[in-house]
Amino acid sequence: MANETQGAMEPTLPDPKPGATPLDNTTQATDAAPSLLGEGQTQQPPVTGAPDQYADFVMPEGVTADDGMKGEFGAIAKELNLTQEQAQKLVDFYAGKAAQAHQAPYQQWMEMQTKWRQEVEHDPEIGGAQLNQNLAQAKQAIEQLGGNPLRQALNATGAGNNPAIVKAFVKMGAMMAEGSFVKGNPNVEKTSRADKRYGGT
């Protein structure tokens, strides 16, 4: 009798589904439950590869690019299957290098101008305590020889800072102040001296 009672209390398991595991038999009630991320919250695969059309690339400050150049770069980026982010990184790198290359000659020119000015300021002949007086003489010579056009040319080319040029104008200014510098056609001056030497009129 006891055996009959014990047999009646044994649970009856449902028939397994084809290919199912024992675990499947105990979880049939949860087959319709949403995933851990929740319904409609499944992760989207990351976007890889080139887009159908690239957005306008952002250029660094001080760098401009026309539409033709951007179009050519976009075609190359698409051929390489670059994402928008990857293509923008290349734009940033190239534009930065281009800006450095563009500024390099001007930077070198400015460094040379600074070096020349320092040489003039510390020159034992025209610099030091007498610098302002010598520069004033040089400016007087520039004013008499060429005026504003000559001054603009010296500024535009940077020659006005060259120690040799500054010394030359300082000497000319001193000669003008002494009256020993004669302006005019040098050929006329040579002819006049020759006439005096050989008794010409």
Side-chain angles (χ1 to χ4, degrees), residues 182-183 185-194:
V182 180
K183 294 190 297 180
N185 191 327
N187 293 327
V188 174
E189 181 67 18
K190 290 180 180 179
T191 302
S192 176
R193 292 177 180 176

Side-chain angles (χ1 to χ4, degrees), residues 10-18 20-29 31:
E10 291 180 357
T12 303
L13 297 177
D15 295 333
K17 293 181 290 185
T21 64
L23 181 60
D24 292 330
N25 294 331
T26 61
T27 58
Q28 287 184 358
D31 286 346

Side-chain angles (χ1 to χ4, degrees), residues 85-137:
E85 182 180 0
Q86 291 170 334
Q88 182 64 54
K89 287 182 178 180
L90 284 183
V91 169
D92 295 341
F93 175 79
Y94 173 77
K97 292 299 182 181
Q100 291 178 6
H102 178 74
Q103 289 291 331
Y106 176 74
Q107 183 66 28
Q108 293 175 357
W109 186 82
M110 288 297 298
E111 291 175 356
M112 182 178 64
Q113 296 297 309
T114 301
K115 180 175 179 292
W116 281 349
R117 292 174 67 93
Q118 292 175 349
E119 289 179 2
V120 170
E121 292 172 359
H122 297 90
D123 186 89
E125 183 180 349
I126 64 172
Q130 299 180 345
L131 177 63
N132 291 335
Q133 178 182 351
N134 288 327
L135 290 180
Q137 286 184 339

Side-chain angles (χ1 to χ4, degrees), residues 26-192:
T26 61
T27 58
Q28 287 184 358
T30 61
D31 286 346
S35 66
L36 293 176
L37 296 176
E39 186 177 357
Q41 301 294 325
T42 55
Q43 288 181 327
Q44 298 296 326
V47 179
T48 58
D52 294 336
Q53 184 176 0
Y54 288 102
D56 192 21
F57 296 110
V58 179
M59 306 303 294
E61 184 178 357
V63 179
T64 58
D66 55 32
D67 293 338
M69 181 180 297
K70 290 181 179 179
E72 292 178 6
F73 177 78
I76 296 175
K78 196 171 187 64
E79 181 180 350
L80 296 175
N81 198 33
L82 301 180
T83 64
Q84 178 74 37
E85 182 180 0
Q86 291 170 334
Q88 182 64 54
K89 287 182 178 180
L90 284 183
V91 169
D92 295 341
F93 175 79
Y94 173 77
K97 292 299 182 181
Q100 291 178 6
H102 178 74
Q103 289 291 331
Y106 176 74
Q107 183 66 28
Q108 293 175 357
W109 186 82
M110 288 297 298
E111 291 175 356
M112 182 178 64
Q113 296 297 309
T114 301
K115 180 175 179 292
W116 281 349
R117 292 174 67 93
Q118 292 175 349
E119 289 179 2
V120 170
E121 292 172 359
H122 297 90
D123 186 89
E125 183 180 349
I126 64 172
Q130 299 180 345
L131 177 63
N132 291 335
Q133 178 182 351
N134 288 327
L135 290 180
Q137 286 184 339
K139 292 176 181 179
Q140 290 178 357
I142 293 173
E143 187 65 31
Q144 295 187 41
L145 293 174
N148 195 51
L150 176 58
R151 189 180 301 105
Q152 290 179 348
L154 293 172
N155 290 337
T157 61
N161 289 323
N162 186 288
I165 300 296
V166 175
K167 285 184 178 181
F169 279 108
V170 169
K171 290 180 180 179
M172 283 187 282
M175 293 171 64
M176 288 178 178
E178 296 171 357
S180 59
F181 183 86
V182 180
K183 294 190 297 180
N185 191 327
N187 293 327
V188 174
E189 181 67 18
K190 290 180 180 179
T191 302
S192 176

